[in-house]
Amino acid sequence: MAPRKLAAGNWKMNGDLAALAEIDALVAAHPAPGCEVLVCPPAVLLHPMKARAGTVIALGGQDCHANPSGAHTGDIAAAQLKDVGAAYVILGHSERRADHGETDAAVAAKAAAAHAAGLTAIICVGETEAQRDAGETLAVIAAQLDGSIPARATAANTVIAYEPVWAIGTGRTPTNDQIAEVHGLMRDCLADKVGDAAAVRLLYGGSVKPGNAAEIFAIPHVDGALVGGASLKAADFGAIIAALETA
Ligand code: 13P
């Protein structure tokens, strides 16, 4: 069976209680979406958002700790995300790799913790502009996948997001051929790491908008998107969902 397509929104450090009105609008406009819809808000909004999202929209965290509990001030355990309604957690986003020095090994440890808590891990990879210019993109992605995916990853508990660092929040996107090349490589790399590699959902992220979503969703091995800025407004995210439903 083809993997169920996934439209995922990453609110990053944006949004407040008033912004939950966007979730109400999204649910009203897409009460029975033809793809899976996921929103990953700041952790403080997970619990109130769950009441609005019901079963129409899945929820996710944006990070978790590798340990199940303990003296880690400011951190959040995977089980705590699950407890307030999350089914997913984004891990290894380039902003966390850059801001918090997260290594591939740290991401793999967090993903293992997410799996142990029953969450699906969305593991992010992506090259910088300097790495692309140097012709290192495929090697960088392969190495990040190799180091960031834990043992016992499956298509059910793991999603991979390809987010070129230079495409995030810039309005720039790779060419269709460049996305196809990386997604094809990721599918091949997964075959070495995951039993049911063909069923692992591969998301593209980086300046996905209503205007380019349909084109991106037509690229082979693109099973959905991880959307930043355009996920904050119900109208924009709804248009991206509609493009994925018909892809
Ligand atoms: P933008 O869609 O704002 O470029 O962000 C992409 C992203 O980083 C999603 O995780």
Side-chain angles (χ1 to χ4, degrees):
M1 199 180 80
R4 187 153 193 246
K5 302 202 168 199
L6 176 60
N10 175 8
W11 280 22
K12 307 190 180 184
M13 201 171 70
N14 298 297
D16 53 17
L17 290 173
L20 296 176
E22 297 297 328
I23 297 299
D24 296 338
L26 198 60
V27 170
H30 300 269
C35 61
E36 191 171 359
V37 178
L38 165 68
V39 174
C40 300
V44 291
L45 293 179
L46 277 169
H47 192 245
M49 190 178 283
K50 183 65 186 168
R52 315 286 190 103
T55 56
V56 176
I57 301 173
L59 299 186
Q62 298 177 7
D63 177 49
C64 71
H65 199 276
N67 288 359
S69 65
H72 302 287
T73 301
D75 281 313
I76 301 174
Q80 293 174 315
L81 296 174
K82 174 114 173 158
D83 186 47
V84 293
Y88 287 82
V89 60
I90 298 169
L91 294 172
H93 192 283
S94 61
E95 288 151 14
R96 290 206 61 88
R97 290 177 186 262
D99 292 355
H100 300 274
E102 289 189 5
T103 61
D104 291 338
V107 175
K110 290 175 178 215
H115 292 162
L119 296 179
T120 296
I122 301 179
I123 297 174
C124 302
V125 297
E127 82 285 3
T128 63
E129 185 157 33
Q131 288 167 331
R132 179 162 282 280
D133 290 346
E136 296 168 0
T137 298
L138 297 184
V140 166
I141 302 300
Q144 287 179 333
L145 287 176
D146 192 47
S148 305
I149 298 175
R152 287 185 284 284
T154 68
N157 67 19
T158 303
V159 173
I160 306 296
Y162 168 51
E163 299 204 311
V165 177
W166 52 273
I168 294 174
T170 59
R172 298 166 60 205
T173 54
T175 65
N176 295 350
D177 286 349
Q178 287 172 330
I179 295 174
E181 182 181 41
V182 172
H183 278 239
L185 170 95
M186 295 201 299
R187 188 71 76 200
D188 291 344
C189 288
L190 285 169
D192 296 334
K193 305 274 297 178
V194 184
D196 45 359
V200 175
R201 289 174 292 179
L202 305 181
L203 310 183
Y204 169 77
S207 297
V208 177
K209 309 282 180 211
N212 61 17
E215 192 184 341
I216 290 169
F217 295 147
I219 298 169
H221 299 296
V222 174
D223 304 307
L226 183 54
V227 184
S231 72
L232 295 169
K233 292 288 166 215
D236 287 347
F237 197 38
I240 292 167
I241 291 165
L244 188 57
E245 284 173 328
T246 54

